[in-house]
Amino acid sequence: KPDLKRDPNWTPPPSLPPTTLGLPAAEYLVVSRDALVSLLDKCTQCVEGANHLSFHMEGLAVQCSTRCNKCGFTDTWSGSPLLKTANEGNKERLAKINVDVVTGAIITAVGGTKLRQIFLMSGISPISSTTFHRLKKHYVRPAVDELFWRTQGALIDSIRERIAKGEKIHLCGDGSFDSRGYSAAYCRYFILNAETGEVLHYIIMHKTDTGSSKRTKKVAALEQRLNELALMIGGIDGIASLVTDRHLAVTKMMHDKFPGIKHLYDPWHFFRNITLALVKKSKETL
């Protein structure tokens, strides 16, 4: 008012553009419950109003519906965007934060059980086991498979070009079990390019596919994927060597079924076995 009295043509000065300083680079931030409530309980439309709050949790995704007790203004605040799915309608709400956390837990081999324990001990609302495995089965695993097969195709094309020029490739392979010392229901076996470290093929085999023996599973997994890889690159003659551990059954299988591939042993397993033998011997002498 004083400015308008001095100058009837007075207008407010142009406002400076808003700035954001110190914003973390991380996409997600952990916020306490009380801090979130204090942020949402004030009406954004009127000065005197206070909001009625209604929270809904789905995994780590928080959604809050607000209604002002003075002006009646309603709004919805969401802590995570929703990803689009092939399903029409709103029956399937796919919160991005849940997918990202499940993906991170799978890639780092933390797993759903340990992830829930970490959240519970830290006072963070956890992702339920049902939600974790549903996202893993229907979204994360298919996405990983699609990306792997797409990348594998480019690698195989490159290898076929090398073989066409008269070169051969060198491979290495190793397997592991899901619960060593217990049921060992699943065997994972990977075949890598020994020169680049890139994974060329893999398999996850259940014990019902080959029997309960660990030895049978590892040999069957390697044999199956080695045959498939040979077909992809244009024949077994394109493989010069394969490096594995000193598994007797694998050695026999390579000698009988892949005599043209030079079979070598990796030093890591060799030195590990020596170390374990020395530790065992030292305990016997004490």
Side-chain angles (χ1 to χ4, degrees), residues 233-279:
I233 64 175
I236 203 72
D237 295 336
I239 303 174
S241 66
L242 173 69
V243 179
T244 68
D245 58 10
R246 302 170 70 87
H247 201 293
L248 295 179
V250 170
T251 301
K252 185 177 185 306
M253 185 271 294
M254 291 298 299
H255 178 271
D256 295 342
K257 299 187 177 183
F258 301 98
I261 300 177
K262 188 175 182 180
H263 187 208
L264 305 170
Y265 299 131
D266 73 272
W268 184 87
H269 285 91
F270 179 70
F271 289 118
R272 185 199 64 169
N273 292 339
I274 292 178
T275 302
L276 293 176
L278 290 173
V279 171

Side-chain angles (χ1 to χ4, degrees), residues 60-134:
L60 296 176
V62 186
Q63 188 177 75
C64 180
S65 299
T66 64
R67 182 173 61 84
C68 178
N69 63 353
K70 289 289 186 179
C71 66
F73 177 74
T74 60
D75 196 11
T76 300
W77 178 90
S78 180
S80 172
L82 297 178
L83 299 177
K84 293 183 179 180
T85 68
N87 299 330
E88 297 181 358
N90 297 323
K91 290 185 177 181
E92 187 171 17
R93 299 175 58 82
L94 192 61
K96 186 175 185 296
I97 186 173
N98 291 335
V99 178
D100 288 344
V101 170
V102 171
T103 302
I106 294 172
I107 292 175
T108 58
V110 171
T113 301
K114 288 185 178 179
L115 181 67
R116 284 191 296 277
Q117 291 175 346
I118 293 172
F119 284 157
L120 288 172
M121 293 300 102
S122 304
I124 301 174
S125 178
I127 298 177
S128 69
S129 177
T130 302
T131 299
F132 183 92
H133 291 290
R134 177 175 60 85

Side-chain angles (χ1 to χ4, degrees), residues 28-39 62 77 123-124:
Y28 304 109
L29 306 175
V30 178
V31 181
S32 74
R33 179 185 57 191
D34 293 341
L36 183 60
V37 170
S38 66
L39 180 68
V62 186
W77 178 90
I124 301 174

Side-chain angles (χ1 to χ4, degrees), residues 54-212:
S54 177
F55 284 92
H56 173 72
M57 292 286 300
E58 186 172 343
L60 296 176
V62 186
Q63 188 177 75
C64 180
S65 299
T66 64
R67 182 173 61 84
C68 178
N69 63 353
K70 289 289 186 179
C71 66
F73 177 74
T74 60
D75 196 11
T76 300
W77 178 90
S78 180
S80 172
L82 297 178
L83 299 177
K84 293 183 179 180
T85 68
N87 299 330
E88 297 181 358
N90 297 323
K91 290 185 177 181
E92 187 171 17
R93 299 175 58 82
L94 192 61
K96 186 175 185 296
I97 186 173
N98 291 335
V99 178
D100 288 344
V101 170
V102 171
T103 302
I106 294 172
I107 292 175
T108 58
V110 171
T113 301
K114 288 185 178 179
L115 181 67
R116 284 191 296 277
Q117 291 175 346
I118 293 172
F119 284 157
L120 288 172
M121 293 300 102
S122 304
I124 301 174
S125 178
I127 298 177
S128 69
S129 177
T130 302
T131 299
F132 183 92
H133 291 290
R134 177 175 60 85
L135 295 178
K136 179 180 70 173
K137 177 181 179 181
H138 295 293
Y139 298 101
V140 180
R141 177 65 187 274
V144 171
D145 287 342
E146 181 182 347
L147 179 60
F148 177 81
W149 300 128
R150 192 190 313 156
T151 306
Q152 184 198 50
L155 294 175
I156 295 300
D157 290 341
S158 176
I159 290 174
R160 291 175 69 93
E161 291 178 1
R162 290 179 52 191
I163 293 176
K165 297 177 182 178
E167 300 181 30
K168 291 189 176 185
I169 61 171
H170 300 274
L171 306 176
C172 56
D174 196 15
S176 61
F177 298 92
D178 62 324
S179 54
R180 292 174 292 180
Y182 296 94
S183 63
Y186 289 92
C187 173
R188 300 173 295 179
Y189 204 95
F190 295 85
I191 299 178
L192 287 72
N193 185 333
E195 298 169 290
T196 63
E198 296 166 327
V199 177
L200 300 179
H201 214 3
Y202 80 97
I203 186 173
I204 300 177
M205 182 174 287
H206 193 264
K207 63 182 180 181
T208 56
D209 297 332
T210 60
S212 59

